[in-house]
Amino acid sequence: MARRKNYKRRRTILSNTFHLIRENGMDSVSFQMIAEKSGISKSLLQSYYPHKASLIADVVRNILNTLDKQVQKFSVSKEVEVWARAKAFIYTIEMLGVYDEGLKRIITEVFKSNESLDFWSKTINDWLKEKQLFNHFDFDPKEVRMGIAFSVTGVGRLYYDNKQYGVSPEEIADYGTKAFMYSFLHSSKPTIEKALKEGHEIIESTDIKTIHHAIDTMFDEDKEIVC
């Protein structure tokens, strides 16, 4: 019973944190604000999350996990190339920022500085380890880490300065996927082209309203959360 109660409270904390940072931005949300909205003391909140960074990381991991499930759901084939899903994943992040001002605020803030880019890279790398995505591939872990950092920085810069560069969400997804596959996974040109084509097919089948709803409700009682 205690474990179930703790899980329920953690869900409440994550949900309230998500909605607060969506409305106000990460830097404007304090532990005290989260505690008050969750109906608990600040000290009790810190017994679950001693540091704000770990709390934000769990919120971001749940966003990533929800997006991953949605991209797989819209994949035209279960056997589709994993890097095609990576392209669709990047595209979906970009489109959510276009579709929802609050999500745009979150996405922009994790792309706006070296510190937040480092956080974003580490969170994605940790999430990929949890998903065991690279277990079935013969890649150098160091190059994978560097590739993630490189791609996140590049995609983040294009997203943050989108008006200056005038690139579409799919173009940003193409640049990020190609750079990662070519420079760090040493993929061949035909393999890259195949991944981009399959990624486009996934994008064509996606419904951004459905994905947005999944993000909007990811902390509801009937949803499985990552924490």
Side-chain angles (χ1 to χ4, degrees):
M1 180 66 71
R3 181 176 296 178
R4 185 181 302 173
K5 183 178 180 180
N6 288 344
Y7 185 77
K8 183 177 180 180
R9 181 171 286 147
R10 196 178 291 270
R11 180 192 296 276
T12 299
I13 291 169
L14 289 171
S15 177
N16 288 331
T17 302
F18 171 62
H19 290 294
L20 282 169
I21 63 177
R22 186 178 181 176
E23 182 178 349
N24 303 288
M26 292 185 186
D27 293 341
S28 300
V29 175
S30 67
F31 260 18
Q32 188 62 44
M33 290 171 65
I34 297 167
E36 288 177 2
K37 190 171 180 63
S38 302
I40 59 177
S41 66
K42 182 179 176 182
S43 60
L44 181 56
L45 171 60
Q46 290 180 303
S47 72
Y48 284 88
Y49 290 100
H51 307 289
K52 185 179 173 182
S54 61
L55 175 51
I56 298 297
D58 265 4
V59 171
V60 172
R61 268 193 286 271
N62 278 278
I63 294 173
L64 296 176
N65 196 53
T66 303
L67 284 179
D68 179 58
K69 288 179 179 178
Q70 290 297 308
V71 168
Q72 290 194 49
K73 173 183 173 183
F74 285 105
S75 295
V76 291
S77 167
K78 296 300 181 185
E79 305 302 320
V80 73
E81 171 66 50
V82 67
W83 310 119
R85 294 205 306 269
K87 170 183 170 174
F89 187 87
I90 296 170
Y91 168 85
T92 304
I93 291 176
E94 305 290 331
M95 282 303 297
L96 283 172
V98 172
Y99 190 82
D100 184 302
E101 191 64 33
L103 292 176
K104 180 180 180 180
R105 187 177 294 110
I106 295 175
I107 295 166
T108 301
E109 288 197 17
V110 297
F111 284 154
K112 72 179 182 180
S113 68
N114 287 334
E115 182 180 353
S116 55
L117 283 170
D118 287 344
F119 166 78
W120 193 231
S121 297
K122 183 180 184 305
T123 301
I124 290 179
N125 190 57
D126 290 345
W127 173 73
L128 290 174
K129 284 182 180 178
E130 291 172 8
K131 301 283 290 183
Q132 299 181 330
L133 182 61
F134 295 105
N135 285 15
H136 306 297
F137 300 95
D138 185 23
F139 297 135
D140 181 343
K142 181 180 178 182
E143 287 202 278
V144 169
R145 288 197 305 273
M146 289 192 299
I148 291 170
F150 182 87
S151 299
V152 166
T153 301
V155 166
R157 179 52 59 193
L158 289 176
Y159 180 85
Y160 192 72
D161 290 332
N162 178 262
K163 290 183 179 179
Q164 177 182 339
Y165 294 109
V167 288
S168 70
E170 186 166 1
E171 286 176 319
I172 294 175
D174 278 341
Y175 293 141
T177 306
K178 284 192 288 189
F180 187 58
M181 291 183 70
Y182 180 78
S183 299
F184 299 94
L185 304 182
H186 312 294
S187 301
S188 66
K189 185 176 180 180
T191 299
I192 296 171
E193 289 177 348
K194 180 174 181 287
L196 296 182
K197 180 177 180 295
E198 290 181 345
H200 178 74
E201 291 172 356
I202 298 173
I203 288 169
E204 287 287 288
S205 70
T206 57
D207 178 5
I208 197 65
K209 290 184 179 179
T210 298
I211 295 174
H212 178 264
H213 178 72
I215 295 292
D216 203 35
T217 60
M218 64 184 173
F219 292 116
D220 284 4
E221 290 293 333
D222 60 331
K223 303 295 175 61
E224 181 182 355
I225 62 170
V226 180
C227 59

